[in-house]
Amino acid sequence: MGTEGCCQQQTDSETTSKLVLEAGHNSNDRCCKNNGSRETAETEVPFIPLTVDENDVISGAKEILKVIRSHWDLSTAEFKIFTDGITNKLVGCFNKTPQDDNNTSQNGATDYSKNVVLVRVYGNKTDLLIDRKAETRNIKLLHSYGFAPSLFATFKNGLAYEYVPGVTLNPESVTKPEIWKLVACRMADMHKVSQDNGLTIPSSTRESMLWKKVQSFFDLVPERFSDADKHSRLEKTFLPISKIRNEFEMLYKKLKSLNSPLVFAHNDLLLGNVIYTESLSQITLIDYEYADYNFQAFDIGNHFAEFAGVDEVDYKRYPSKEFQLNWLRTYLESYLGTSQVSDEQVETLYVQVNQFALAAHFFWTIWALIQAEYSTIDFDFVDYAFTRYNEYLSKKDQFLSLDTNTNSLS
């Protein structure tokens, strides 16, 4: 979901796959490494004291390019606004007159992968949901480990960053063995990252972001929505908000008792935030707005919940037990660094993941309620809140009854 919205699968990440078609696919122009090793070089990211008008993002993008791509001829540059996002706006900036002559791909098509900048302009009030300083820090940190694209610049209400060649996942591709195994290993590698270079948080004082973030979300949900129709639709189910606050508190107590490890998690691994570069057999994770320490099982459970898709949500796509056990074994082999993973370890993680999937539904339900009040994008956030919350209610008893002896899913 993230600040690209519950249709983020159609946002920055899917935009990347669209850029592949328009800008060419250069498998050698790659920003991330698969081994998660730490790059030592640190690059200072410039801050541009500019606020981009969300109604005129191209003019704003040009001002940013004057700073970070001063050699571009903006009179010939092309700009494309991607309208699929429902909380942020994204513009692709294409340098049509690259300085070097090596600008054709193997098939003879023009390759602009070295001459593309993505400029993301934050949506209205999304700063209420996201710690933007933490987001910038996370991108820089994870890029240094080879996980995130390069961050070229930040400005008052957005950032400019690197294009990553590849295609984003969809409900069909995410179940292919050659892809899901890479995703499992990539997530495991990320979960082994720890903040350092002055950002270290001692393990004894680390806390999950889940409780604090959801409580802050609750605080942002109005008791009366400014739109009377929205208020009427939401009133019986979600208002007063104290009703579902209590529900989440009971759920959280249950989940915390599972003792899922705290890891540095992405927390928003919907399919559109996973880019697959086939030529390199490589997975890149993007959009780190919610990255923070969290329960390991939340990150995985949230990812599994996103198998349902976004355009046409279908929770029949939620992965079967057989699929999950294979996925989780691959994940644990990478996370633990051993092929000697026991059935008991896999089964334990299976129970944790499915129960934390409930928390993922809850998380994005409250997120959607906030968007319903503040977002200026034409999207039915109220309907999305109902979609996620109804799935939570539908699976609540089944998932919470799981244990390592009776862990079956229909």
Side-chain angles (χ1 to χ4, degrees):
M1 301 324 87
T3 58
E4 290 310 319
C6 55
C7 283
Q8 192 172 20
Q9 198 165 3
Q10 298 294 320
T11 57
D12 287 15
S13 48
E14 184 159 296
T15 295
T16 302
S17 59
K18 292 177 181 176
L19 290 176
V20 171
L21 300 178
E22 299 188 28
H25 186 134
N26 180 2
S27 62
N28 294 318
D29 186 26
R30 163 121 176 91
C31 70
C32 298
K33 303 176 178 60
N34 266 331
N35 60 10
S37 60
R38 182 70 188 272
E39 295 179 2
T40 57
E42 292 290 339
T43 303
E44 191 67 28
V45 176
F47 170 74
I48 302 171
L50 172 71
T51 298
V52 173
D53 183 348
E54 64 177 343
N55 296 313
D56 189 13
V57 294
I58 290 180
S59 293
K62 288 180 178 179
E63 294 302 312
I64 292 166
L65 291 173
K66 289 177 182 178
V67 177
I68 65 173
R69 293 293 183 270
S70 58
H71 62 283
W72 283 23
D73 182 353
L74 297 183
S75 66
T76 61
E78 292 188 358
F79 301 86
K80 181 174 178 60
I81 298 175
F82 297 94
T83 58
D84 298 322
I86 62 173
T87 51
N88 294 337
K89 290 190 176 180
L90 181 74
V91 55
C93 311
F94 303 83
N95 181 18
K96 303 296 288 187
T97 55
Q99 298 297 311
D100 61 88
D101 295 326
N102 185 25
N103 64 336
T104 56
S105 60
Q106 293 180 354
N107 63 8
T110 302
D111 180 5
Y112 295 104
S113 59
K114 294 183 179 180
N115 292 280
V116 179
V117 171
L118 302 181
V119 176
R120 178 150 56 98
V121 181
Y122 301 142
N124 184 49
K125 300 293 186 179
T126 56
D127 55 316
L128 296 174
L129 302 167
I130 306 296
D131 182 340
R132 295 302 180 185
K133 290 183 179 180
E135 177 192 12
T136 299
R137 184 181 69 232
N138 289 337
I139 294 173
K140 294 170 65 177
L141 168 75
L142 292 166
H143 175 68
S144 73
Y145 280 97
F147 285 97
S150 293
L151 185 61
F152 296 143
T154 63
F155 49 98
K156 288 184 177 180
N157 62 331
L159 47 81
Y161 58 98
E162 182 181 19
Y163 152 74
V164 179
V167 294
T168 55
L169 302 191
N170 57 50
E172 290 70 42
S173 63
V174 73
T175 61
K176 294 181 179 180
E178 66 271 23
I179 293 178
W180 71 252
K181 291 180 180 179
L182 294 175
V183 176
C185 292
R186 198 62 171 155
M187 193 184 301
D189 288 342
M190 181 181 175
H191 287 173
K192 291 186 285 187
V193 168
S194 61
Q195 293 183 323
D196 55 12
N197 278 358
L199 301 174
T200 302
I201 301 176
S203 58
S204 60
T205 61
R206 291 175 187 170
E207 295 180 343
S208 162
M209 59 79 79
L210 183 58
W211 174 260
K212 184 177 180 179
K213 179 65 76 173
V214 173
Q215 295 308 308
S216 70
F217 280 9
F218 277 129
D219 291 340
L220 293 171
V221 178
E223 290 296 344
R224 174 162 292 277
F225 283 73
S226 56
D227 183 292
D229 177 65
K230 290 179 180 179
H231 185 84
S232 177
R233 293 168 65 191
L234 293 167
E235 189 171 17
K236 292 182 180 180
T237 301
F238 297 112
L239 302 175
I241 200 66
S242 57
K243 292 193 302 185
I244 54 175
R245 270 188 186 267
N246 294 336
E247 176 74 14
F248 181 76
E249 183 175 356
M250 291 185 290
L251 174 66
Y252 186 81
K253 287 180 179 178
K254 165 66 175 175
L255 298 180
K256 191 173 182 181
S257 69
L258 296 175
N259 296 317
S260 178
L262 282 180
V263 299
F264 194 75
H266 185 285
N267 296 314
D268 191 17
L269 276 179
L270 47 80
L271 304 185
N273 281 345
V274 185
I275 297 176
Y276 173 54
T277 306
E278 182 178 8
S279 61
L280 299 177
S281 295
Q282 177 176 279
I283 288 294
T284 303
L285 311 179
I286 65 171
D287 291 353
Y288 291 93
E289 293 171 314
Y290 291 93
D292 201 346
Y293 286 104
N294 201 0
F295 298 107
Q296 175 189 60
F298 177 92
D299 218 14
I300 302 172
N302 181 70
H303 178 60
F304 285 172
E306 297 298 340
F307 278 40
V310 173
D311 288 338
E312 297 179 2
V313 179
D314 183 359
Y315 284 110
K316 293 180 181 177
R317 296 177 178 140
Y318 188 79
S320 66
K321 177 182 179 181
E322 179 183 7
F323 179 94
Q324 288 192 45
L325 293 180
N326 289 329
W327 195 104
L328 295 172
R329 183 175 294 277
T330 298
Y331 168 90
L332 285 172
E333 287 175 349
S334 180
Y335 181 72
L336 299 175
T338 178
S339 60
Q340 304 301 313
V341 174
S342 69
D343 291 345
E344 180 180 2
Q345 288 173 302
V346 177
E347 298 278 355
T348 297
L349 184 55
Y350 170 81
V351 171
Q352 293 174 336
V353 162
N354 285 279
Q355 294 187 357
F356 269 96
L358 297 173
H361 287 308
F362 221 114
F363 187 94
W364 298 115
T365 295
I366 310 307
W367 173 89
L369 293 178
I370 300 168
Q371 297 289 354
E373 174 65 11
Y374 294 109
S375 177
T376 59
I377 303 296
D378 183 17
F379 182 84
D380 195 345
F381 289 101
V382 171
D383 182 70
Y384 190 73
F386 278 111
T387 297
R388 295 304 296 250
Y389 194 61
N390 287 338
E391 184 62 15
Y392 163 77
L393 294 175
S394 172
K395 295 297 192 297
K396 174 185 172 182
D397 291 342
Q398 181 186 5
F399 285 7
L400 291 182
S401 67
L402 291 173
D403 60 43
T404 53
N405 296 316
T406 60
N407 53 4
S408 61
L409 287 179
S410 59

